[in-house]
Amino acid sequence: MTLTAPEATTGPTTPGPATTVAANPARGLVCRNCGATFGLIAEHACAECFGPLEVDYDPELMRAVTREQIEAGPHNIWRYAPLLPTGQDPADRVSLDPGMTPLVRAQRLGDELGFTAPLWVKDDSANPTHSFKDRVVSLAATAAKGFGYAKIACASTGNLANSVAAHAARNGLPSFVFVPSDLEPGKIVQSAVYGQALVAVDGSYDDVNRLTSELAETDEFEDCAFVNQNVRPYYAEGSKTVGYEIAEQLGWRIPAQVVIPMASGSLLTKVDKAWKELVAAGIVEDTPWKVFGAQSAGCDPIATAFDNGWDVVKPVKPTGIAKSLNIGNPADGPYALDAIRRTGGSVGRVGDDEIVAGIRDLARTTGVFAETAGGVTTAVLRQLVEKGLLDPAQETVVLNTGEGLKTLDPLAPVVGPTHHVQPSLRSLREAGLIA
Ligand SMILES: *Cc1c(COP(=O)(O)O)cnc(C)c1O
Ligand SMILES: [Zn+2]
């Protein structure tokens, strides 16, 4: 199946005022390993070398995009449709319209860590299903519709499952979501509530991913788009919108440093790609930036490769509380390493106790309650500053990619009521709250 790049047209697609449909700037897929090029097809691996395929854009069309054009767009990821491979025509979108999440000034956290430059939290817990995954699923589901698939599916560490099921429910498209059976109860409930198929698999995420790859080859699932497999090139581009938004929210500037949690490593590579594109399009000034990666000690294959100077990533068996990041064999690991090394960044890893401390630090100083992945990022930020690897005199953005209510379990034993009283002033007095 192939996706056709529509010509730029003008005309009403839905009742209402005439809307301009932007041209699709994507001209095909390109192999990141050998450079072979393909049309806009539903494949994620190169037919020549099995390398990963990525969307390739027409530089002329990308250069034609302006700040004004973006600013005139909707208040969600689709304002960047002229820079994306799909969804130029609003009528084609299968989406919860995520994005334009808050960029929160973390003044008090910055003060504690010794920042003299601004520190910001990009809070993607504000997306419709409360993680950054809504961005990638909106792209993947829209591509799936364009290719004519009848259903969507995914292997997930939790947040992707939530988002795929919700996108399916909103758009009346059947979905099949596969997760490790030991997932956090919050993420099981948040996937199941949408009334779609939820398959709990006794195995790790990497086992689940292998299973769905095999499933994709069966006759029954021939008409199914696997959001992070056959339509992965389109899925991955959704992460670029995090980078676009940060730049736009800073007044069309790129921050000097960014700290990004890594599972497959895709999000990190796409934030970097987004900024390269904005520079190439002349939308922002070409100022240097450093990309920092964050992993948990329980699943640190990219951190280990970075420390050892390896170009390849050796798979690990994940453990620990940061389950949304527990991908032991990260598909984009080598490309994440490239971006980190090219920009002069670094990688940090933190254990479960530090992750919980990171969640509490962020909540205590910014009012943002992060899931474990955000705890990883916050704790890694502290570690990088303490080791002198990240400069507190340079403007910095940290990503909170998910909502704290999704992962209450590690917090429940360590936070709770500070006082326990009877409903009387006497009891409040005894508790020391009044004299
Ligand atoms: C999936 C996920 C990530 C990382 O995504 P990759 O693109 O696979 O590196 C980070 N944070 C949260 C909360 C996620 O769900
Ligand atoms: Zn190739």
Side-chain angles (χ1 to χ4, degrees), residues 31-36 38 46-51 53:
C31 174
R32 283 198 281 182
N33 185 44
C34 76
F38 304 87
C46 174
E48 309 285 331
C49 75
F50 299 108
L53 299 178

Side-chain angles (χ1 to χ4, degrees), residues 124 130-133 136 156-160 187 205 232 235-236 239 260-270 294-295 302 323-327 330-332 336 371-374 377 399-403 406:
D124 251 14
H130 315 290
S131 85
F132 100 89
K133 290 297 196 300
V136 285
S156 171
T157 58
N159 286 320
L160 186 59
K187 287 189 180 154
Y205 169 79
R232 186 174 176 88
Y235 160 98
S239 291
I260 303 176
M262 299 187 292
S264 72
S266 176
L267 170 62
L268 183 144
T269 66
K270 297 298 175 177
Q295 292 208 294
I302 305 176
K323 293 189 184 194
S324 58
L325 302 181
N326 278 355
I327 297 185
D332 289 276
E371 70 144 81
T372 45
T377 315
L399 266 51
N400 174 37
T401 45
E403 161 67 51
K406 287 170 178 273

Side-chain angles (χ1 to χ4, degrees), residues 22-25 57 65 69-70 76-89 93 241 244:
N24 186 346
Y57 294 94
V65 178
Q69 186 183 2
I70 293 168
N76 57 52
I77 59 167
W78 299 114
R79 67 204 280 104
Y80 306 107
L83 301 166
L84 295 172
T86 181
Q88 282 75 28
D89 186 340
R93 295 173 192 159
T241 61
Y244 298 146

Side-chain angles (χ1 to χ4, degrees), residues 284-298:
V284 298
E285 222 182 291
D286 188 4
T287 54
W289 66 85
K290 291 184 178 182
V291 181
F292 295 84
Q295 292 208 294
S296 77

